[in-house]
Coordinates of all heavy atoms in Angstrom, one line a residue:
M966 N 120.9 74.1 81.9 CA 120.6 73.1 83.0 C 119.1 72.8 83.0 O 118.3 73.7 82.6 CB 121.0 73.7 84.4 CG 122.4 73.6 84.7 SD 122.8 74.0 86.4 CE 122.3 75.7 86.5
T967 N 118.8 71.7 83.4 CA 117.4 71.3 83.5 C 116.8 71.9 84.8 O 117.6 72.4 85.7 CB 117.2 69.8 83.6 OG1 117.8 69.3 84.8 CG2 117.8 69.1 82.4
R968 N 115.6 71.9 85.0 CA 115.0 72.4 86.2 C 115.5 71.6 87.4 O 115.8 72.2 88.5 CB 113.4 72.4 86.2 CG 112.8 73.0 87.4 CD 111.3 73.2 87.2 NE 111.1 74.1 86.1 CZ 110.0 74.8 85.9 NH1 108.9 74.6 86.7 NH2 109.8 75.6 84.9
Q969 N 115.6 70.3 87.3 CA 116.1 69.5 88.4 C 117.5 69.8 88.7 O 117.8 69.9 89.9 CB 115.9 68.0 88.0 CG 116.3 67.0 89.1 CD 115.3 67.2 90.3 OE1 114.1 67.2 90.1 NE2 115.8 67.3 91.5
Q970 N 118.3 70.0 87.7 CA 119.7 70.4 88.0 C 119.8 71.7 88.7 O 120.6 71.9 89.6 CB 120.5 70.4 86.7 CG 120.7 69.0 86.1 CD 121.3 69.1 84.7 OE1 120.9 70.0 83.9 NE2 122.1 68.2 84.3
T971 N 119.0 72.7 88.3 CA 119.0 74.0 88.9 C 118.6 73.9 90.4 O 119.2 74.5 91.2 CB 118.0 75.0 88.1 OG1 118.4 75.0 86.8 CG2 118.0 76.3 88.7
L972 N 117.5 73.1 90.6 CA 117.1 72.9 92.0 C 118.2 72.2 92.8 O 118.5 72.6 94.0 CB 115.8 72.0 92.1 CG 114.6 72.8 91.7 CD1 113.4 71.8 91.4 CD2 114.2 73.7 92.9
D973 N 118.8 71.2 92.2 CA 119.9 70.5 93.0 C 121.0 71.4 93.3 O 121.6 71.3 94.4 CB 120.4 69.3 92.1 CG 119.4 68.2 92.0 OD1 118.4 68.1 92.7 OD2 119.6 67.3 91.1
L974 N 121.3 72.3 92.4 CA 122.5 73.2 92.6 C 122.2 74.4 93.6 O 123.0 74.7 94.4 CB 123.0 73.7 91.3 CG 124.3 74.5 91.3 CD1 125.4 73.7 91.8 CD2 124.6 75.0 89.8
Y975 N 121.0 75.0 93.5 CA 120.7 76.2 94.1 C 119.7 76.2 95.3 O 119.6 77.2 96.0 CB 120.3 77.3 93.1 CG 121.3 77.6 92.1 CD1 121.1 77.2 90.8 CD2 122.4 78.3 92.4 CE1 122.0 77.6 89.8 CE2 123.4 78.7 91.5 CZ 123.2 78.3 90.1 OH 124.1 78.6 89.2
F976 N 119.0 75.1 95.4 CA 117.9 75.1 96.4 C 118.4 75.4 97.8 O 117.8 76.2 98.6 CB 117.1 73.8 96.4 CG 116.0 73.7 97.4 CD1 114.8 74.4 97.1 CD2 116.1 73.1 98.6 CE1 113.8 74.4 98.0 CE2 115.1 73.1 99.5 CZ 113.9 73.8 99.2
M977 N 119.4 74.7 98.3 CA 119.9 74.9 99.7 C 120.3 76.3 100.0 O 120.0 76.8 101.1 CB 121.0 73.9 100.0 CG 120.5 72.4 100.1 SD 119.1 72.1 101.2 CE 119.9 72.2 102.8
D978 N 120.9 76.9 99.1 CA 121.3 78.3 99.2 C 120.1 79.2 99.3 O 120.0 80.1 100.2 CB 122.3 78.8 98.1 CG 122.8 80.2 98.3 OD1 123.3 80.5 99.3 OD2 122.7 81.0 97.3
A979 N 119.1 79.0 98.4 CA 117.9 79.8 98.4 C 117.1 79.6 99.7 O 116.5 80.5 100.3 CB 117.1 79.5 97.2
R980 N 117.1 78.3 100.2 CA 116.4 78.0 101.4 C 117.0 78.8 102.6 O 116.3 79.3 103.4 CB 116.5 76.5 101.7 CG 115.9 76.0 102.9 CD 116.2 74.5 103.1 NE 115.6 73.9 104.3 CZ 116.1 73.9 105.5 NH1 117.3 74.4 105.7 NH2 115.5 73.4 106.5
C981 N 118.3 78.8 102.7 CA 119.0 79.5 103.7 C 118.7 81.0 103.7 O 118.4 81.6 104.7 CB 120.5 79.3 103.5 SG 121.5 80.2 104.7
K982 N 118.6 81.6 102.5 CA 118.3 83.0 102.4 C 116.9 83.3 102.8 O 116.6 84.3 103.4 CB 118.6 83.5 100.9 CG 120.0 83.5 100.6 CD 120.3 83.8 99.1 CE 121.7 83.8 98.8 NZ 122.0 84.0 97.4
L983 N 116.0 82.4 102.4 CA 114.6 82.5 102.8 C 114.4 82.5 104.3 O 113.7 83.3 104.9 CB 113.7 81.4 102.1 CG 112.2 81.5 102.3 CD1 111.7 82.8 101.7 CD2 111.6 80.3 101.6
I984 N 115.1 81.6 105.0 CA 115.0 81.5 106.4 C 115.6 82.8 107.0 O 115.1 83.4 108.0 CB 115.8 80.3 107.0 CG1 115.0 79.0 106.5 CG2 115.9 80.3 108.5 CD1 115.7 77.7 106.7
D985 N 116.7 83.3 106.5 CA 117.3 84.6 106.9 C 116.3 85.7 106.8 O 116.2 86.6 107.7 CB 118.6 84.8 106.2 CG 119.4 86.0 106.8 OD1 119.5 86.0 108.0 OD2 120.0 86.8 106.0
L986 N 115.6 85.8 105.7 CA 114.6 86.8 105.5 C 113.5 86.7 106.5 O 113.0 87.7 107.0 CB 114.0 86.8 104.1 CG 114.9 87.2 102.9 CD1 114.3 87.0 101.6 CD2 115.3 88.7 103.1
A987 N 113.0 85.5 106.8 CA 112.0 85.3 107.8 C 112.4 85.8 109.1 O 111.7 86.4 109.9 CB 111.6 83.8 107.8
A988 N 113.7 85.5 109.5 CA 114.2 85.9 110.8 C 114.3 87.5 110.8 O 114.0 88.1 111.9 CB 115.6 85.3 111.0
F989 N 114.7 88.1 109.7 CA 114.7 89.6 109.7 C 113.3 90.1 109.9 O 113.1 91.0 110.7 CB 115.3 90.0 108.3 CG 115.0 91.4 108.0 CD1 115.6 92.5 108.7 CD2 114.1 91.8 107.0 CE1 115.3 93.8 108.4 CE2 113.8 93.1 106.7 CZ 114.4 94.1 107.4
I990 N 112.3 89.6 109.2 CA 110.9 90.1 109.4 C 110.4 89.9 110.8 O 109.8 90.7 111.4 CB 110.0 89.4 108.3 CG1 110.4 89.9 106.9 CG2 108.5 89.7 108.6 CD1 109.7 89.1 105.8
D991 N 110.8 88.7 111.4 CA 110.4 88.5 112.8 C 111.0 89.5 113.7 O 110.3 90.0 114.6 CB 110.9 87.1 113.2 CG 110.0 85.9 112.7 OD1 108.9 86.2 112.2 OD2 110.5 84.8 112.8
R992 N 112.3 89.9 113.5 CA 112.9 90.9 114.3 C 112.2 92.2 114.2 O 112.0 92.9 115.2 CB 114.4 91.0 114.0 CG 115.2 89.9 114.5 CD 116.7 90.1 114.4 NE 117.2 90.3 113.0 CZ 117.5 89.3 112.2 NH1 117.5 88.0 112.7 NH2 117.9 89.5 111.0
V993 N 111.9 92.6 113.0 CA 111.3 93.9 112.7 C 109.9 93.9 113.4 O 109.5 94.9 114.0 CB 111.2 94.2 111.2 CG1 110.2 95.4 110.9 CG2 112.5 94.4 110.6
E994 N 109.1 92.9 113.2 CA 107.8 92.8 113.7 C 107.7 92.8 115.3 O 106.8 93.2 115.9 CB 107.0 91.7 113.1 CG 106.7 91.9 111.6 CD 106.0 90.7 111.0 OE1 105.9 89.6 111.6 OE2 105.5 90.9 109.8
R995 N 108.8 92.2 115.9 CA 108.8 92.2 117.3 C 109.3 93.5 117.9 O 109.1 93.8 119.1 CB 109.8 91.1 117.8 CG 109.2 89.7 117.8 CD 110.1 88.7 118.5 NE 111.5 88.8 118.1 CZ 112.1 87.9 117.2 NH1 111.3 87.0 116.6 NH2 113.3 88.0 116.9
S996 N 109.9 94.4 117.1 CA 110.4 95.6 117.6 C 109.3 96.7 117.7 O 108.4 96.7 116.9 CB 111.5 96.2 116.6 OG 112.5 95.2 116.5
P997 N 109.4 97.6 118.7 CA 108.4 98.6 118.9 C 108.6 99.7 117.8 O 109.7 99.8 117.2 CB 108.7 99.2 120.3 CG 110.1 98.8 120.6 CD 110.4 97.6 119.8
G998 N 107.5 100.4 117.5 CA 107.5 101.5 116.6 C 106.8 101.1 115.3 O 106.4 100.0 115.1
E999 N 106.7 102.1 114.4 CA 106.0 102.0 113.1 C 107.0 101.6 112.1 O 108.2 101.9 112.1 CB 105.4 103.3 112.8 CG 104.3 103.7 113.7 CD 103.1 102.8 113.8 OE1 102.7 102.3 112.7 OE2 102.6 102.5 114.9
E1000 N 106.5 100.9 111.1 CA 107.4 100.5 109.9 C 107.6 101.8 109.1 O 106.7 102.6 109.0 CB 106.7 99.5 109.0 CG 106.6 98.1 109.7 CD 106.1 97.1 108.7 OE1 105.7 97.4 107.6 OE2 106.2 95.9 109.1
D1001 N 108.7 101.9 108.5 CA 109.0 103.1 107.6 C 108.9 102.6 106.1 O 108.5 101.5 105.8 CB 110.3 103.8 108.0 CG 111.5 102.9 107.7 OD1 111.4 101.9 107.0 OD2 112.6 103.3 108.1
F1002 N 109.3 103.5 105.3 CA 109.2 103.2 103.8 C 110.0 102.0 103.4 O 109.7 101.4 102.4 CB 109.6 104.5 103.0 CG 111.1 104.8 103.2 CD1 112.0 104.3 102.3 CD2 111.5 105.6 104.2 CE1 113.4 104.6 102.4 CE2 112.9 105.9 104.4 CZ 113.8 105.4 103.5
R1003 N 111.1 101.7 104.1 CA 111.9 100.6 103.7 C 111.2 99.3 103.8 O 111.2 98.4 102.9 CB 113.2 100.6 104.5 CG 114.1 101.7 104.2 CD 115.3 101.8 105.1 NE 114.7 102.1 106.5 CZ 115.5 102.2 107.5 NH1 116.8 102.0 107.5 NH2 114.9 102.5 108.7
M1004 N 110.5 99.1 104.9 CA 109.8 97.9 105.2 C 108.6 97.8 104.2 O 108.2 96.7 103.7 CB 109.3 97.8 106.6 CG 109.1 96.4 107.1 SD 110.6 95.3 106.8 CE 109.8 93.7 106.8
K1005 N 107.9 98.9 103.9 CA 106.8 98.9 103.0 C 107.3 98.5 101.6 O 106.7 97.7 100.9 CB 106.2 100.3 102.9 CG 105.4 100.6 104.2 CD 104.8 102.0 104.2 CE 104.1 102.3 105.5 NZ 103.8 103.7 105.6
A1006 N 108.4 99.0 101.2 CA 109.0 98.6 99.9 C 109.4 97.2 99.9 O 109.3 96.4 98.9 CB 110.2 99.5 99.6
F1007 N 110.0 96.7 101.0 CA 110.4 95.3 101.2 C 109.2 94.4 101.0 O 109.3 93.4 100.3 CB 111.0 95.2 102.6 CG 111.7 93.9 102.8 CD1 113.1 93.7 102.4 CD2 111.1 92.8 103.4 CE1 113.7 92.5 102.6 CE2 111.7 91.6 103.6 CZ 113.0 91.4 103.2
R1008 N 108.1 94.7 101.7 CA 106.9 93.9 101.6 C 106.3 93.9 100.2 O 105.9 92.9 99.7 CB 105.9 94.3 102.6 CG 106.2 94.0 104.0 CD 105.1 94.4 105.0 NE 105.5 94.3 106.4 CZ 105.7 93.2 107.1 NH1 105.5 92.0 106.5 NH2 106.1 93.2 108.4
Q1009 N 106.4 95.0 99.5 CA 105.9 95.1 98.1 C 106.8 94.2 97.3 O 106.3 93.5 96.4 CB 106.0 96.6 97.7 CG 105.5 96.8 96.2 CD 105.7 98.2 95.8 OE1 105.8 99.1 96.6 NE2 105.6 98.4 94.5
A1010 N 108.1 94.3 97.5 CA 109.0 93.4 96.7 C 108.8 91.9 97.0 O 108.8 91.1 96.0 CB 110.5 93.8 97.1
L1011 N 108.4 91.6 98.2 CA 108.1 90.2 98.5 C 106.9 89.6 97.8 O 106.9 88.5 97.4 CB 107.9 90.0 100.0 CG 109.1 90.0 100.9 CD1 108.7 90.0 102.4 CD2 110.1 88.9 100.6
T1012 N 106.0 90.5 97.5 CA 104.8 90.1 96.8 C 105.1 89.6 95.4 O 104.5 88.8 94.8 CB 103.7 91.1 96.7 OG1 104.1 92.3 96.0 CG2 103.2 91.5 98.1
E1013 N 106.2 90.2 94.8 CA 106.6 89.9 93.5 C 107.1 88.4 93.4 O 107.0 87.8 92.4 CB 107.7 90.8 93.0 CG 107.2 92.2 92.8 CD 106.2 92.4 91.7 OE1 106.0 91.5 90.8 OE2 105.5 93.4 91.7
L1014 N 107.6 87.9 94.5 CA 108.2 86.6 94.5 C 107.1 85.5 94.3 O 107.4 84.4 93.8 CB 109.0 86.3 95.8 CG 110.2 87.2 96.0 CD1 110.8 86.8 97.4 CD2 111.2 87.1 94.9
S1015 N 105.9 85.8 94.8 CA 104.9 84.7 94.7 C 103.9 85.0 93.6 O 102.9 84.3 93.4 CB 104.1 84.6 96.0 OG 103.5 85.9 96.4
S1016 N 104.2 86.1 92.8 CA 103.3 86.4 91.7 C 103.6 85.4 90.5 O 104.7 84.8 90.5 CB 103.6 87.8 91.2 OG 104.8 87.9 90.5
G1017 N 102.7 85.3 89.6 CA 103.0 84.5 88.5 C 103.7 85.2 87.3 O 103.9 84.6 86.3
N1018 N 104.2 86.4 87.6 CA 104.9 87.2 86.6 C 106.3 86.6 86.4 O 106.9 86.0 87.3 CB 105.0 88.6 87.1 CG 103.7 89.3 87.2 OD1 102.7 89.0 86.5 ND2 103.5 90.1 88.2
T1019 N 106.8 86.9 85.2 CA 108.2 86.6 84.9 C 109.1 87.7 85.3 O 108.6 88.8 85.8 CB 108.4 86.4 83.4 OG1 108.0 87.6 82.7 CG2 107.5 85.2 82.9
E1020 N 110.4 87.6 85.2 CA 111.4 88.6 85.6 C 111.2 89.0 87.0 O 111.2 90.2 87.3 CB 111.3 89.7 84.6 CG 111.7 89.4 83.2 CD 111.7 90.5 82.2 OE1 110.9 91.5 82.4 OE2 112.6 90.6 81.4
K1021 N 111.2 88.1 87.9 CA 111.0 88.4 89.3 C 112.1 89.3 89.9 O 111.9 90.2 90.7 CB 110.8 87.2 90.2 CG 109.4 86.5 89.9 CD 109.3 85.2 90.7 CE 108.0 84.6 90.5 NZ 107.6 84.3 89.1
A1022 N 113.3 89.0 89.5 CA 114.5 89.8 90.0 C 114.3 91.3 89.6 O 114.6 92.2 90.4 CB 115.8 89.2 89.5
K1023 N 114.0 91.5 88.4 CA 113.8 92.8 87.9 C 112.6 93.5 88.6 O 112.8 94.7 89.0 CB 113.4 92.8 86.4 CG 113.1 94.1 85.8 CD 112.8 94.0 84.3 CE 112.4 95.3 83.7 NZ 112.0 95.2 82.3
R1024 N 111.5 92.8 88.8 CA 110.4 93.4 89.5 C 110.7 93.7 91.0 O 110.3 94.7 91.5 CB 109.2 92.5 89.4 CG 108.6 92.4 88.0 CD 107.6 91.3 87.9 NE 107.0 91.3 86.6 CZ 106.0 92.0 86.2 NH1 105.4 92.9 87.0 NH2 105.5 91.9 85.0
V1025 N 111.5 92.9 91.6 CA 111.9 93.1 93.0 C 112.8 94.4 93.1 O 112.6 95.3 93.9 CB 112.6 91.9 93.6 CG1 113.4 92.3 94.9 CG2 111.6 90.8 93.9
L1026 N 113.7 94.5 92.1 CA 114.6 95.6 92.1 C 113.8 96.9 91.9 O 114.1 97.9 92.5 CB 115.7 95.4 91.0 CG 116.7 96.5 90.8 CD1 117.5 96.8 92.1 CD2 117.6 96.2 89.7
L1027 N 112.9 96.9 91.0 CA 112.0 98.0 90.7 C 111.2 98.4 91.9 O 111.0 99.6 92.1 CB 111.2 97.8 89.5 CG 111.9 97.8 88.1 CD1 111.0 97.4 87.0 CD2 112.6 99.1 87.8
A1028 N 110.7 97.5 92.6 CA 109.9 97.8 93.8 C 110.8 98.5 94.9 O 110.2 99.3 95.7 CB 109.4 96.5 94.4
L1029 N 112.1 98.3 94.9 CA 112.9 99.0 95.8 C 113.6 100.2 95.3 O 114.3 100.9 96.0 CB 114.0 98.0 96.3 CG 113.5 96.7 97.0 CD1 114.6 95.7 97.1 CD2 112.9 97.1 98.4
S1030 N 113.4 100.5 94.0 CA 114.1 101.6 93.4 C 113.3 102.9 93.3 O 112.1 102.9 93.3 CB 114.5 101.2 91.9 OG 115.4 100.1 92.0
D1031 N 114.1 104.0 93.1 CA 113.5 105.3 92.9 C 113.0 105.4 91.5 O 113.8 105.3 90.5 CB 114.6 106.4 93.2 CG 114.1 107.8 93.0 OD1 113.0 108.0 92.5 OD2 114.8 108.7 93.5
P1032 N 111.7 105.6 91.3 CA 111.2 105.7 89.9 C 111.3 107.0 89.2 O 111.0 107.2 88.0 CB 109.7 105.3 90.1 CG 109.4 105.9 91.4 CD 110.6 105.7 92.2
T1033 N 111.8 108.0 89.9 CA 111.9 109.4 89.4 C 113.1 109.4 88.4 O 114.0 108.7 88.5 CB 112.0 110.4 90.4 OG1 113.2 110.2 91.2 CG2 110.9 110.4 91.4
T1034 N 113.0 110.4 87.5 CA 114.0 110.6 86.5 C 114.8 111.9 86.6 O 115.9 112.0 86.1 CB 113.5 110.5 85.1 OG1 112.5 111.5 84.9 CG2 112.9 109.1 84.8
E1035 N 114.2 112.8 87.4 CA 114.9 114.1 87.6 C 115.9 114.0 88.7 O 115.6 113.5 89.8 CB 113.8 115.2 87.9 CG 112.9 115.5 86.7 CD 113.7 116.1 85.5 OE1 114.5 116.9 85.7 OE2 113.4 115.6 84.4
P1036 N 117.1 114.5 88.5 CA 118.1 114.5 89.6 C 117.7 115.5 90.7 O 117.1 116.5 90.4 CB 119.4 114.9 88.9 CG 119.0 115.6 87.6 CD 117.6 115.1 87.2
I1037 N 118.1 115.1 91.9 CA 117.8 116.1 93.0 C 119.0 117.0 93.1 O 120.1 116.7 92.7 CB 117.6 115.3 94.3 CG1 118.9 114.4 94.7 CG2 116.4 114.4 94.3 CD1 118.8 113.8 96.1
P1038 N 118.8 118.2 93.6 CA 119.9 119.2 93.7 C 121.1 118.8 94.6 O 122.2 119.1 94.3 CB 119.2 120.5 94.2 CG 117.8 120.1 94.5 CD 117.5 118.8 94.1
A1039 N 120.7 118.1 95.7 CA 121.8 117.7 96.6 C 121.3 116.5 97.4 O 120.1 116.3 97.6 CB 122.1 118.8 97.6
A1040 N 122.3 115.6 97.7 CA 122.0 114.4 98.5 C 121.5 114.8 99.9 O 122.0 115.8 100.4 CB 123.2 113.5 98.6
T1041 N 120.5 114.1 100.4 CA 120.0 114.4 101.7 C 120.6 113.5 102.8 O 120.4 113.8 104.0 CB 118.5 114.3 101.7 OG1 118.2 112.9 101.3 CG2 117.8 115.2 100.8
T1042 N 121.3 112.5 102.4 CA 122.0 111.6 103.4 C 123.4 111.3 102.9 O 123.7 111.6 101.8 CB 121.2 110.3 103.6 OG1 121.1 109.6 102.3 CG2 119.8 110.5 104.0
K1043 N 124.1 110.6 103.7 CA 125.5 110.2 103.4 C 125.6 108.9 102.6 O 126.5 108.6 101.9 CB 126.4 110.1 104.6 CG 126.7 111.4 105.3 CD 127.6 111.2 106.4 CE 128.0 112.5 107.0 NZ 129.0 112.3 108.1
A1044 N 124.5 108.1 102.7 CA 124.6 106.8 102.1 C 123.2 106.4 101.6 O 122.2 106.9 102.0 CB 125.1 105.8 103.1
A1045 N 123.2 105.4 100.7 CA 121.9 104.9 100.2 C 121.2 104.1 101.3 O 121.9 103.6 102.2 CB 122.2 103.9 99.0
C1046 N 119.9 104.1 101.2 CA 119.1 103.4 102.3 C 118.5 102.1 101.8 O 117.8 101.4 102.6 CB 118.1 104.4 102.9 SG 116.9 105.0 101.7
G1047 N 118.6 101.8 100.5 CA 118.1 100.6 100.0 C 116.7 100.5 99.5 O 116.3 99.5 98.9
A1048 N 116.0 101.6 99.7 CA 114.6 101.7 99.2 C 114.3 103.2 98.9 O 114.9 104.0 99.5 CB 113.6 101.1 100.2
W1049 N 113.3 103.4 98.1 CA 112.9 104.8 97.8 C 112.0 105.3 98.9 O 111.0 104.7 99.2 CB 112.2 104.8 96.4 CG 111.8 106.2 96.0 CD1 112.6 107.3 95.9 CD2 110.5 106.6 95.5 NE1 111.9 108.3 95.4 CE2 110.6 107.9 95.2 CE3 109.3 105.9 95.4 CZ2 109.5 108.7 94.7 CZ3 108.2 106.7 95.0 CH2 108.3 108.0 94.6
P1050 N 112.3 106.5 99.5 CA 111.5 107.0 100.5 C 110.1 107.4 100.1 O 109.2 107.5 101.0 CB 112.3 108.3 100.9 CG 113.7 108.1 100.4 CD 113.5 107.2 99.2
G1051 N 109.8 107.5 98.8 CA 108.5 107.8 98.4 C 107.6 106.6 98.2 O 106.4 106.7 97.7
T1052 N 108.0 105.4 98.6 CA 107.2 104.2 98.6 C 105.9 104.4 99.3 O 105.9 104.8 100.5 CB 108.0 103.0 99.1 OG1 109.2 102.8 98.3 CG2 107.1 101.7 99.1
K1053 N 104.8 104.0 98.7 CA 103.5 104.2 99.3 C 103.1 102.9 100.0 O 103.3 101.8 99.6 CB 102.5 104.6 98.3 CG 103.0 106.0 97.7 CD 101.8 106.7 97.2 CE 102.1 108.1 96.7 NZ 103.3 108.7 96.7

């Protein structure tokens, strides 16, 4: 597809998702308390979207992923939380 065809096909869906993300950030910022590692990782991932780098989807995924290679002895929670707790 050409760039124009890609925009014609996917722009409205991406626009909707962007507005949804903005609403999520607004809700978090209006809520009392400190941000935790998930929001820090989220903000780091967002910076990848406006970078001039290629492979943005890969870079966003890596920003949210655990970079360690050694397995942990036991899970500390019942479910995944969507971001690595060691995010700085």
Side-chain angles (χ1 to χ4, degrees):
M966 283 191 291
T967 66
R968 186 170 295 200
Q969 187 64 48
Q970 290 169 324
T971 303
L972 283 165
D973 290 346
L974 187 58
Y975 296 111
F976 181 81
M977 291 304 286
D978 184 50
R980 178 185 183 272
C981 178
K982 291 174 183 177
L983 186 60
I984 293 167
D985 191 40
L986 288 174
F989 164 70
I990 293 168
D991 283 345
R992 284 190 298 275
V993 169
E994 290 178 348
R995 282 193 307 264
S996 301
E999 297 295 317
E1000 289 188 354
D1001 66 12
F1002 67 92
R1003 293 170 294 177
M1004 203 59 200
K1005 290 177 184 171
F1007 191 86
R1008 290 184 189 284
Q1009 181 182 342
L1011 285 175
T1012 64
E1013 293 296 341
L1014 297 180
S1015 59
S1016 74
N1018 298 322
T1019 59
E1020 298 184 320
K1021 287 175 179 56
K1023 177 182 176 180
R1024 290 172 177 274
V1025 165
L1026 181 59
L1027 288 174
L1029 297 168
S1030 297
D1031 181 345
T1033 62
T1034 57
E1035 293 297 317
I1037 59 173
T1041 57
T1042 62
K1043 289 185 176 182
C1046 59
W1049 182 53
T1052 300
K1053 301 202 175 4

